[in-house]
């Protein structure tokens, strides 16, 4: 399973390099974004035009997502899954995807953070590469253990 994920990660990175040369393929940051914050949560709403591809960043946290409008096909290590609004699911930490947007799509994600600056939020909830992801996941696990110990001692 770990080898399959590693091979998939390499495939996505190779595709991302090729896509960087294609004008119809863009990163999510290229499209209109709305940012909202609520009690330790960062809510990110993205609108993507029809007939386009995106390659996501590496997600450093497990978090919910909501497809509010449209249809999209998502390529993950488990294959291609096509979803249509309304739809919700969970993105697991370590996920990186290639997405084809059949129609205009409105996609919303919710992330755990106390940051209120969009750039800092993105830095906290994503990883630049899979080595950085390992560091962030370890840090988050240590933080969660510390919080549990504090609760148990109270």
């Amino acid at each position: 399973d770990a080898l399959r994920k590693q091979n998939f990660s390499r495939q996505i990175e190779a595709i991302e390099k090729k896509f960087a040369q294609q004008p119809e393929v863009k990163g999510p940051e290229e499209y209109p974004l709305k940012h909202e914050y609520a009690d330790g949560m960062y809510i990110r709403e993205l609108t993507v035009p029809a007939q386009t591809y995106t390659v996501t960043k590496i997600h450093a946290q497990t978090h919910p997502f909501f497809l509010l409008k449209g249809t999209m096909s998502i390529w993950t290590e488990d294959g291609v899954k096509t979803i249509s609004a309304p739809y919700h699911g969970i993105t697991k930490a370590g996920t990186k995807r290639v997405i084809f947007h059949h129609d205009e799509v409105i996609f919303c994600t919710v992330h755990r953070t106390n940051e209120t600056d969009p750039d800092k939020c993105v830095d906290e909830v994503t990883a630049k590469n899979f080595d950085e992801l390992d560091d962030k996941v370890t840090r988050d696990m240590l933080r969660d253990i510390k919080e549990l110990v504090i609760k148990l001692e109270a």
Side-chain angles (χ1 to χ4, degrees):
D1 194 44
L3 182 59
R4 183 174 63 103
K5 285 186 178 188
Q6 184 179 24
N7 287 337
F8 178 77
S9 300
R10 287 188 186 129
Q11 288 176 337
I12 290 272
E13 288 170 343
I15 288 169
E16 189 171 29
K17 285 178 186 170
K18 288 182 181 182
F19 276 4
Q21 301 163 4
Q22 307 295 322
E24 69 274 12
V25 180
K26 300 184 178 175
E29 63 280 348
E30 306 273 340
Y31 300 114
L33 274 172
K34 292 181 187 174
H35 308 279
E36 294 185 70
Y37 307 90
D39 195 24
M41 292 178 286
Y42 168 48
I43 302 119
R44 179 179 165 99
E45 184 181 293
L46 174 70
T47 301
V48 183
Q51 301 298 303
T52 56
Y53 288 91
T54 55
V55 179
T56 69
K57 294 182 181 291
I58 301 167
H59 299 263
Q61 297 179 351
T62 297
H63 64 85
F65 70 86
F66 305 88
L67 180 58
L68 305 175
K69 176 184 175 185
T71 298
M72 58 191 209
S73 293
I74 306 163
W75 182 45
T76 70
E77 65 267 8
D78 297 320
V80 176
K81 182 175 184 177
T82 300
I83 60 174
S84 296
Y87 185 91
H88 73 277
I90 301 294
T91 296
K92 300 226 181 262
T95 300
K96 184 173 181 72
R97 302 177 174 119
V98 175
I99 301 173
F100 176 72
H101 307 273
H102 299 270
D103 321 301
E104 180 180 75
V105 163
I106 299 177
F107 193 77
C108 183
T109 59
V110 181
H111 306 272
R112 178 183 63 243
T113 180
N114 290 315
E115 287 292 343
T116 56
D117 174 275
D119 292 331
K120 289 181 181 177
C121 288
V122 170
D123 286 344
E124 185 174 325
V125 303
T126 64
K128 291 176 182 56
N129 55 54
F130 287 96
D131 290 332
E132 181 183 68
L133 172 68
D134 290 340
D135 293 342
K136 286 186 174 192
V137 169
T138 300
R139 184 195 67 225
D140 287 349
M141 287 172 45
L142 292 173
R143 181 200 63 225
D144 292 346
I145 291 168
K146 182 178 177 182
E147 288 175 3
L148 179 60
V149 168
I150 290 168
K151 285 179 184 177
L152 291 173
E153 290 177 344

